[in-house]
Amino acid sequence: MVDISFVLKVVFFRSESGNEPVREWLKELPREDRRQIGEDIKTVQIGWPIGMPIARKIDKDLWEIRTTFERGIARVFFTVDSGHMILLHGFIKKSQKTPPNELKTALTRLGNYKRGNR
């Protein structure tokens, strides 16, 4: 058995009300989609810092994990803090461009996280 060393530990962002939006979103997805997204998250965990085609910097302190599967494209926005990958927001893309409301959600959660909602 191979012992894998993770550079980052995954943490789900938790809202003030205690919800974990990315975990809840993942649970709603088909099993195979969850598996593929999980594999890409694991690739980033092991290979950080890593770039395209798996991960891309979006804004200051904000990156996305890029997963493509048969039925579409998924994005998981995250930030990195003290060896932790904080998963902020996930969604299925329906067009080439990231919808502004999806980016806004991720940036809002990033701001909440930075203000102490850790």
Side-chain angles (χ1 to χ4, degrees):
M1 190 163 137
V2 177
D3 188 24
I4 297 173
S5 176
F6 291 95
V7 176
L8 300 174
K9 180 179 181 204
V10 170
V11 176
F12 288 94
F13 167 81
R14 185 172 292 192
S15 69
E16 288 182 26
S17 62
N19 295 335
E20 294 176 332
V22 176
R23 185 187 305 267
E24 293 163 11
W25 170 72
L26 286 168
K27 286 179 179 179
E28 295 173 3
L29 296 176
R31 184 173 179 231
E32 181 58 23
D33 293 356
R34 281 194 316 265
R35 187 195 66 74
Q36 285 185 273
I37 292 167
E39 285 294 319
D40 288 342
I41 290 170
K42 188 174 172 182
T43 298
V44 173
Q45 275 186 279
I46 295 167
W48 186 255
I50 191 169
M52 294 287 282
I54 298 292
R56 181 171 75 114
K57 186 167 186 163
I58 297 298
D59 201 20
K60 184 179 186 302
D61 300 327
L62 185 68
W63 289 265
E64 70 177 359
I65 296 170
R66 307 160 55 86
T67 302
T68 302
F69 34 70
E70 274 188 39
R71 67 178 199 94
I73 300 167
R75 295 292 185 259
V76 177
F77 289 112
F78 69 97
T79 192
V80 175
D81 184 26
S82 302
H84 293 84
M85 168 195 280
I86 293 71
L87 304 181
L88 300 166
H89 181 57
F91 68 100
I92 302 292
K93 284 182 75 171
K94 302 205 182 343
S95 65
Q96 250 340 54
K97 192 162 171 57
T98 298
N101 64 317
E102 304 290 1
L103 181 57
K104 183 179 178 192
T105 298
L107 289 169
T108 299
R109 290 178 184 161
L110 175 60
N112 289 344
Y113 175 79
K114 285 182 170 185
R115 280 190 298 279
N117 187 11
R118 297 169 188 244

